[in-house]
Amino acid sequence: MTGRLGAAYFAQPTLAVAADLIGRTLVRPPFYGIITETEAYRGQDDPASHAGKGQTPRNRMMFGAPAHAYIYLIYGMYHCLNFVTEAAGQPAAVLIRGLQLTSPTPQTLDGPGKLCRALNITRAENGLDISSSSALYVGDEKIPLPYTTTPRIGIKQGTDKLWRFVAA
DNA sequence: ACCCCGATCGTA
DNA sequence: ACGATCGGGGTT
């Protein structure tokens, strides 16, 4: 008997969620995969975050309720999947960067753009409530995986923070 | 209206 | 090391 992670889970501090998601199962029927890489982004005191300079039409999901998807287009051709964290009004999210697919075909997805491309995730689903959607959610079972922390990838500010979490 | 550039990726 | 590709956001 398994369930899913809901609003109470994603309302936790962003760093804790980003670390804890390593080893959990992302469900995107017909795809299942173990989350192997994440990054934390917070609006406050985080110049690397989209929400670092306040709310805009693009980043508004980050300011909303936890357990919703924040999906945006990057470099004109790739999408990035995030899960909104912390309480509504507090801008924060966790970027899902790596997945070890187990079904329907074993495959390593290393990189947020590749991940979204493989799972057919686009901003058409921006704002999706992953606490109730059957199209996308995170299972509550967990495989304990050791992980390391590093600076986040592809940013020019905030590189001093070790907010990237990678399964060892 | 214009300009810059990005939480990326594949190829060279 | 570099080009693809385009929308967001700040500036004129």
Side-chain angles (χ1 to χ4, degrees), chain A residues 133-146:
Chain A
S133 170
S134 58
L136 181 67
Y137 59 93
V138 182
D140 63 358
E141 70 277 17
K142 174 161 179 170
I143 301 172
L145 287 183

Side-chain angles (χ1 to χ4, degrees), chain A residues 15-76:
Chain A
L15 293 180
V17 173
D20 187 80
L21 282 175
I22 301 297
R24 292 197 184 266
T25 301
L26 183 73
V27 182
R28 169 62 168 176
F31 303 101
Y32 286 79
I34 306 298
I35 297 173
T36 57
E37 182 181 348
T38 62
E39 282 178 2
Y41 288 88
R42 295 195 314 207
Q44 298 174 339
D45 301 326
D46 182 5
S49 171
H50 288 169
K53 293 177 182 171
Q55 185 171 350
T56 68
R58 177 177 66 158
N59 67 21
R60 75 186 192 286
M61 288 310 309
M62 287 186 73
F63 291 76
H68 288 252
Y70 168 45
I71 305 166
Y72 60 88
L73 180 68
I74 189 66
Y75 294 110

Side-chain angles (χ1 to χ4, degrees), chain A residues 57-148:
Chain A
R58 177 177 66 158
N59 67 21
R60 75 186 192 286
M61 288 310 309
M62 287 186 73
F63 291 76
H68 288 252
Y70 168 45
I71 305 166
Y72 60 88
L73 180 68
I74 189 66
Y75 294 110
M77 56 183 96
Y78 298 104
H79 290 271
C80 288
L81 169 67
N82 299 250
F83 295 141
V84 175
T85 55
E86 312 215 15
Q90 183 144 28
V94 173
L95 172 66
I96 308 301
R97 293 187 54 91
L99 205 60
Q100 183 60 49
L101 279 191
T102 58
S103 167
T105 303
Q107 185 180 358
T108 299
L109 300 175
D110 56 337
K114 296 182 201 173
L115 188 156
C116 284
R117 190 180 55 191
L119 302 186
N120 289 313
I121 292 172
T122 72
R123 55 193 177 150
E125 291 178 286
N126 185 35
L128 195 67
D129 182 355
I130 65 167
S131 71
S132 63
S133 170
S134 58
L136 181 67
Y137 59 93
V138 182
D140 63 358
E141 70 277 17
K142 174 161 179 170
I143 301 172
L145 287 183
Y147 62 85
T148 59

